[in-house]
Amino acid sequence: RKQMVLFVLACCCSLVSPRRPALRMSKSSTPYDTVAAPPTRSSYASLLQPRRRRRQLHLSAAPEDDRPLVPLSPVRQAACVGSLLALFTVNQWSRSLIFYLVDFTDRAGQPAAAVAEASRAFMNVELGFDQAQYGLLASLGFAAVFSFASFLAGLAVDKADARTLLPTSGVLWSLAMLWQAAASSFGDVLGSRFLLGFSQAFCNPAAYVALGRISAPSSRATVLGVYSSGVYIGGGLAALSILLDGPLGWRGVS
C-alpha cells in the first residue's frame, strides 16, 4: 500500500513540474560532452575581427587624407617655411627694436661729448621725449593699432591671396622702419609705430593660411612650431642690436 501511495505521488509531481528540453547527444558523445567549453583565443579573435577590419580600413585611408592642399617638393616646402620664418623673425625684430634704442638715465651735469654720444645712440636723448611719451609709443602707438588691425587682417586674408598680403605687409613695415630712422621729432616716431602696428598685423594670419596649405596634417604642428620660433629669434636679435648702437647709432640700427 505504501508503494502504491508513493507511486501516485511521483506521478502527480511529474505532471505538475515543468518539463525541460532533453539534450540531444550523438552516439559517440557522453553526458560530460554536453558541458559548454570555455572560450578560446580563436573565438575572441573571431569576435574582434570586424573591429580590426574597420581599423585597418581607416589606417589604409589615412595617407590619402594626409596630403597637403598644395603639394610641393620637400625642397620647395622647406624654402617656403624658411622664407616665412625669416619674415616673421624680421617682424619681431623690428617691433621690439625700440625697447633697446632708449635710455632714460639722468645726464644732468655730464660733459657735452657724453651727451652727444648718447644722442647718437638713443633716440629719446636726441628727440627729447620722456618716459610717458615712450609708454605711448609702446601702447597706443603699436599695441592698440595692432589689435584693431588684426580684425581687418583676418577678413582680408579670408578674401585675398596670402601670397599678395605677405610681401605687401613686409614692404609697409620696412617703410615704417625707414620713417623711424629718419624721424626728427616724437610725432614722426609715433607715426612710424602706427604704420608698423597696422602693417605687421597682416603677417601672422596670412602666414598661417599659407603654411596650412603647403603642409600635411601629420606635419602641420611641426611646421607651425618652426614658424613660431621666430618670436624668440627676432626678440633675441633685437636685444643683440644694442651692440650696434655704438658704431651705427640708433638711426643706423633702425
Side-chain angles (χ1 to χ4, degrees), residues 32 81 156 178 231 251:
Y32 299 100
V81 175
L178 290 176
V231 175
R251 295 184 183 275

Side-chain angles (χ1 to χ4, degrees), residues 183-206:
S184 59
S185 64
F186 172 78
D188 289 337
V189 180
L190 183 62
S192 67
R193 296 292 289 181
F194 280 154
L195 181 58
L196 187 69
F198 179 82
S199 59
Q200 289 190 346
F202 290 81
C203 179
N204 274 347

Side-chain angles (χ1 to χ4, degrees), residues 61-74:
E64 298 180 359
D65 300 333
D66 198 42
R67 293 176 299 182
L69 296 177
V70 182
L72 298 176
S73 64

